[in-house]
Amino acid sequence: MTTLYNIGDSIEGKKIYCEAEKFQKPHRISTKGRHNAQQLKAEGSPARAIIDMPLSWVKK
């Protein structure tokens, strides 16, 4: 499994599992579709995010 440590590194998945010591309140963000999404920040030592379900259209 690859671990990313630099500012600006990101992951994408259909379902993402996060663990952290502290979560901030979610904020609504606009997406290009009809539905809005939510964004939140996780803080911890360390805070982790793991893809629980990959995107189905991405080739492996």
Side-chain angles (χ1 to χ4, degrees):
M1 176 171 32
T2 303
T3 304
L4 306 171
Y5 295 103
N6 298 318
I7 293 174
D9 291 347
S10 66
I11 61 172
E12 291 185 12
K14 188 170 184 177
K15 190 183 286 187
I16 299 173
Y17 174 80
C18 298
E19 20 175 275
E21 295 174 356
K22 181 180 176 183
F23 289 95
Q24 293 181 356
K25 290 184 180 180
H27 299 280
R28 294 182 80 185
I29 58 173
S30 179
T31 58
K32 294 182 181 183
R34 289 176 37 186
H35 302 286
N36 287 329
Q38 292 184 351
Q39 177 184 46
L40 60 89
K41 289 185 181 180
E43 298 177 25
S45 182
R48 293 187 182 106
I50 300 165
I51 296 174
D52 197 29
M53 184 182 298
L55 297 169
S56 59
W57 52 268
V58 175
K59 293 182 181 179
K60 293 181 182 179

